[in-house]
Amino acid sequence: NLKNIKHLIGLENVNFVDEDLNDLHHSSEIFDGIDYVFHLAGLGDIVPSIEKPKLYFQANYMGTLNLLKCLKDKNIKKFVYAASSSCYGDTKKFPTSEKEKIDLQNPYAKTKFIGEEMVMRYASLFKMPNISFRFFNVELILDTWNIFMCSIQPLADLYINLLSRGKCLSLIISPSILNDAALLINEP
C-alpha cells in the first residue's frame, strides 16, 4: 500500500519509481549500481487468489520473473525474496520446519512458491546470490515517524539502518497493483 511508504518519497537518498514490475525493462537505468534487491512485491491473500488466479499469477510469478530478468546481468550482491509459508498448506506442525512437505492448496501458494523456485533457478544459472524468507502472517504498519513490523522487524531495522547511513534506496511501486514494491539498495 502506497500510504505505508509515503514518508520515504522525496527523501534525498530514495529514488521512487512508479512502475509495474511487469513493465520494467532490463535496459532501464534504475538498475544501474544496485547492490541489494528486497523483492516484497506481490498480491497476498488466499481467497481473492481463488477468485482471480490470473491476476495473482501475473503479479506474483510474472512480476518476479521480469524483475529477475532485469537483474540477471547487474552483478547484485543479494536478491531477497518474500516467499510465503502458505506453500506448506494447512500444516499442523508448529514451529514449521523449512523441510516440511510442500502442499500448494490455492493459487496464492502456487504463485509464491513457483516465484521462489524461479529465484533459486536464477541464482544457480546466473550466479545471483539470494535468500528467500517464507513469512507467516505478516502485518505491516508504517507512519511518518515509526515503522512497526511484527515478523519482519529485522528487515525494517535494515532499511532504517541503511537510510541513516546515507545509502540510496530505490522503491519500485506498481500503480495497478498497489501491494507491489521492490526495494533496491545502492552501496558506495
Side-chain angles (χ1 to χ4, degrees):
N1 193 318
L2 290 175
K3 70 180 181 181
N4 290 337
I5 60 161
K6 67 180 179 186
H7 64 288
L8 298 175
I9 299 170
L11 292 178
E12 183 179 330
N13 55 345
V14 175
N15 179 25
F16 181 78
V17 179
D18 189 2
E19 193 167 346
D20 190 310
L21 293 180
N22 288 295
D23 296 334
L24 295 174
H25 192 269
H26 73 278
S27 64
S28 175
E29 293 177 6
I30 62 173
F31 300 110
D32 293 346
I34 297 301
D35 291 310
Y36 300 93
V37 176
F38 291 81
H39 177 22
L40 308 175
L43 292 176
D45 205 346
I46 292 171
V47 174
S49 80
I50 295 167
E51 297 165 350
K52 299 177 182 178
K54 286 183 182 178
L55 181 65
Y56 277 68
F57 181 79
Q58 188 66 31
N60 294 347
Y61 176 72
M62 295 304 296
T64 298
L65 178 59
N66 193 49
L67 183 59
L68 289 167
K69 285 179 179 179
C70 291
L71 296 168
K72 74 177 185 161
D73 297 321
K74 300 297 182 182
N75 296 317
I76 62 170
K77 292 180 182 177
K78 186 77 73 174
F79 184 88
V80 181
Y81 180 68
S84 174
S85 65
S86 67
C87 67
Y88 301 119
D90 293 326
T91 184
K92 304 297 184 226
K93 295 181 182 177
F94 301 101
T96 305
S97 167
E98 289 180 1
K99 295 176 181 161
E100 185 66 32
K101 178 181 169 249
I102 300 299
D103 185 13
L104 307 173
Q105 297 183 358
N106 54 69
Y108 169 69
K110 289 179 183 188
T111 60
K112 291 301 287 183
F113 186 73
I114 62 172
E116 182 179 10
E117 287 189 321
M118 185 58 62
V119 169
M120 299 306 167
R121 176 65 60 197
Y122 264 69
S124 173
L125 292 174
F126 303 109
K127 308 295 185 248
M128 184 184 293
N130 74 86
I131 188 166
S132 180
F133 292 103
R134 290 184 180 161
F135 293 122
F136 288 76
N137 298 325
V138 175
E139 292 183 30
L140 173 62
I141 303 167
L142 299 170
D143 64 33
T144 305
W145 303 108
N146 297 302
I147 294 181
F148 301 102
M149 296 181 165
C150 57
S151 61
I152 55 173
Q153 185 63 48
L155 287 179
D157 293 342
L158 175 63
Y159 299 162
I160 292 167
N161 180 285
L162 290 166
L163 281 171
S164 69
R165 292 184 8 229
K167 300 296 182 192
C168 296
L169 307 183
S170 297
L171 298 170
I172 303 171
I173 305 299
S174 168
S176 60
I177 305 168
L178 294 181
N179 287 347
D180 277 9
L183 177 66
L184 312 175
I185 301 175
N186 302 344
E187 266 195 337

